[in-house]
Amino acid sequence: MASVPSLASSVNQRVADALASALPEAGGADPLLRRSDRADFQANGILALAKKAKANPRELATTVVDSLPAGDLIKEIEVSGPGFLNITVSDRAIIETLAARAGDDRLGVPYAANAGTTVIDYAQPNVAKEMHVGHLRSAVIGAAMVEILEFTGETVVRRHHIGDWGTQFGMLIQYLLEHPHELDHKSEQEVSGEEAMSNLNRLYKASRALFDSDEEFKTRARARVVDLQAGEAQTLALWQRFVDESKIYFYSVFDKLDMDIQDPDVVGESGYNDMLVETCKLLEESGVAVRSNGALCVFFDEYKGPDGNPTPLIVQKSDGGFGYAATDLSAIRDRVGNLKADTLIYVVDARQALHFKMVFETARRAGWLNDEVKAVQLAFGTVLGKDGKPFKTREGETVRLVDLLDEAVDRATAVVREKAEKVGLSEEEIVENGRYVGIGAVKYADLSTSAARDYKFDLDQMVSLNGDTSVYLQYAYARIKSILRRAGDREAVAHPELELAPAERALGLHLDQFGELIAEAAAEHAPHKLAAYLYQLSSLFTTFYDQCPVVKPEPELVVGENRLFLCDLTARTLSKGMSLLGIRTPERL
């Protein structure tokens, strides 16, 4: 497991060393290297350094060039404009670096030097309620961040903070008590998510109707809330039945999403009940929270209501009940104190930004968060319909998540079936690939947009073979696999002695950036950057394949082997990158 320094970091180091010897007081200064369309890289840092040292930037740049050792890494370097350095690396350096990457399971991607423990709070459905399109982004973005961070060596603890507590359970439990067979299953066999959800839906509607029309039932339901909060055994047992039934349904939806959700990671609102009283006590005793009209509140100068008065965070209501804030603050105490996290990531809708700002600030004042332990909201925008308005059905209802996923799979299966005969796929493979392509399409559409932005849910676009879609990437991968199969017994071997064609160089330089890109996506919590990298990789591969024959017409032996090597490394990089986004790459499409 050897991490491979990228060409950019090697060049950066050389230029920094040359800078330090040309201008000793600039030791350790950053040459500000970036990719350039004039050469492979451009170093822009000399201008600012020259200004500081009152030197002529062009002269300093020329001195730096003179003290750079000529050799294996840098092929050519020129001073341009007022002191920029245009740097071209050698073809040998590109292939040698890529060969080192190919020799490593992790493609030479290093582990982060400062890896710690991150708790990611994502995929948070509500008990006894159907999952809708609004639940999609939290699950997809959160799962991708888990994979990306784990790949960098971070210890990641998953948390699914399901909505499993609150006053509505009084109504549900009371109804179940009076109609004990409402959640019974039809048979001893495994229950489908669909059956579990229809049981819950039916019971919810019936209990709601009774609650709204029968005052005596309403009184009994309200008394049942008190029993639930007091932890009365029979009430808790019935509550648990709702949680268990809902989990059957949740897991069936996550399974459709090709997502692995483990039972121990599901810690809902109820999981923090035993901490609520102590959380309030700690906040009140430290003076972070104060009593106001009987409620326990935290005040902020910067957050004011429409009337101009400060909007407080209410931790405990005047009737003694606890709100979301008490639960969220208790969860922070648990995640920092017991799980020893140094980063907390909340993948939650952008509309809850104010709540989380106040919760995080309260936790900082209480000392639970500080410079070493930070919390961030990875806020996401809304899923819009083709018309650019929040996504609803024709009847104006929110869209059921399962319907959406099923339709995506149906569309994708039709796309796969069209090409299946040419590739010789069996019916079984068509169905399986249809699932991978459909679910991949939904995930990629979400992940290729910056999380904070709203995005349009347009299935026609998502399953299109052209443009920035996962199907385009999956076909690129399958195409490379087919090229490697067609090459027969010819081997994929790196040949650093060869001169590279422009398309080979462009592909090689991009392949080399994979590790740096992963580090960036992890540090910025930005899976969309990985999606953009993979799309560009596929586009560069397409150009390479058009311009550089690999199998037919057959190039001379070493050229062919080197091109097969580039094909193979591209396929491995694509597959690794896609798997970090939670998307499968079928071998044949």
Side-chain angles (χ1 to χ4, degrees), residues 31 132 151 186 211 259 288 313 513:
H132 55 79
F151 187 59
K186 291 194 193 100
F211 187 85
M259 212 173 265
V288 172
L313 182 70
Q513 285 179 293

Side-chain angles (χ1 to χ4, degrees), residues 473-515:
L473 303 184
Q474 285 168 320
Y475 268 101
Y477 175 79
R479 183 181 183 188
I480 300 174
K481 286 308 222 178
S482 141
I483 292 165
L484 294 169
R485 284 193 298 271
R486 287 208 317 271
D489 49 11
R490 269 182 288 160
E491 287 185 69
V493 183
H495 285 282
E497 72 279 7
L498 289 174
E499 197 174 307
L500 297 177
E504 292 174 308
R505 288 188 60 113
L507 177 62
L509 285 164
H510 192 68
L511 280 167
D512 183 51
Q513 285 179 293
F514 184 57

